Amino acid sequence: LPIQSGSNRILKAMNRHYTNEDYIELVGRIRKSIPEIALTTDIIVGFPGETEQDFDQTLNIVKKIKFDSAFTFMYSPRTGTPAAIMEQQISDDVKKERLAKLMETQNEITGEINKAYQDKIVEVLVEGPGKNDPNLLSGRTRTNKLVNFKGDTNTIGCLADVNITQAKNWTLKGIMI
């Protein structure tokens, strides 16, 4: 569910037809209807004219909504687009600094969310051998969390219950039940 920016001023400049208030309301309705939903988003930092206050508003909405993960990007001009010729282009150094701060904030939130899986049994679609350890299997929860676990290779392509023994920022580790 892409937010792009937490600043209404920047959303308008991006020609988005919603406000951060509209977005927060939508997220509330979604979470009320589907309490266990995992939300990811897209965010662009350094759009032309983005001030430090605009960027802070983006950080604030990320902290408020607590996305499971975010696809984060630095704005880069595209020839032929209105933004490419806008004044107040943001320097690469500022964009890199903002992106690093945004990613640090999101990583903390992702880690917090994943910690809630510690010592829980979750249903996992078994996809195949682990990418980094062929002695483990790899799969995903219904909320798209990557799980590496010890288990039976005959379960590849099936659903399996996995006890989460270790929650990390980007993956969960466990043992098939």
Side-chain angles (χ1 to χ4, degrees):
L1 190 62
I3 182 68
Q4 304 296 345
S5 174
S7 163
N8 288 337
R9 194 178 69 75
I10 295 299
L11 289 170
K12 185 175 182 179
M14 290 177 165
N15 200 27
R16 302 299 190 258
H17 302 288
Y18 56 88
T19 64
N20 64 22
E21 294 85 3
D22 297 333
Y23 189 92
I24 291 167
E25 181 186 341
L26 176 60
V27 167
R29 288 195 327 256
I30 291 169
R31 287 193 167 145
K32 185 176 181 181
S33 296
I34 312 167
E36 298 297 316
I37 195 163
L39 291 177
T40 64
T41 194
D42 297 343
I43 301 171
I44 299 170
V45 298
F47 192 81
E50 181 186 68
T51 65
E52 202 61 39
Q53 182 181 15
D54 294 320
F55 176 68
D56 287 343
Q57 290 172 359
T58 298
L59 286 179
N60 289 337
I61 204 165
V62 166
K63 291 173 187 175
K64 181 177 183 131
I65 291 178
K66 296 189 181 298
F67 297 101
D68 286 69
S69 66
F71 299 94
T72 57
F73 309 91
M74 289 189 304
Y75 167 78
S76 58
R78 301 276 191 258
T79 304
T81 63
I85 57 172
M86 286 180 175
E87 294 182 16
Q88 298 179 310
Q89 295 289 325
I90 308 299
S91 74
D92 284 348
D93 288 343
V94 170
K95 288 191 266 188
K96 287 175 187 175
E97 180 182 305
R98 289 178 183 171
L99 184 64
K101 191 171 184 179
L102 174 61
M103 290 173 64
E104 178 183 334
T105 300
Q106 182 57 54
N107 288 346
E108 289 173 13
I109 293 167
T110 299
E112 288 172 23
I113 290 171
N114 282 356
K115 282 180 188 173
Y117 285 82
Q118 183 75 36
D119 300 321
K120 286 190 176 179
I121 296 171
V122 295
E123 187 178 56
V124 175
L125 175 59
V126 184
E127 296 176 336
K131 189 191 253 187
N132 297 325
D133 185 345
N135 297 317
L136 296 177
L137 293 174
S138 181
R140 295 202 177 259
T141 67
R142 289 187 180 273
T143 56
N144 204 34
K145 304 287 185 223
L146 180 62
V147 183
N148 294 301
F149 55 96
K150 293 180 182 177
D152 183 353
T153 57
N154 291 328
T155 60
I156 293 174
C158 300
L159 293 171
D161 288 331
V162 176
N163 183 29
I164 303 302
T165 58
Q166 187 178 20
K168 299 180 180 181
N169 263 17
W170 299 110
T171 61
L172 303 172
K173 193 169 182 180
I175 299 171
M176 185 183 295
I177 306 245

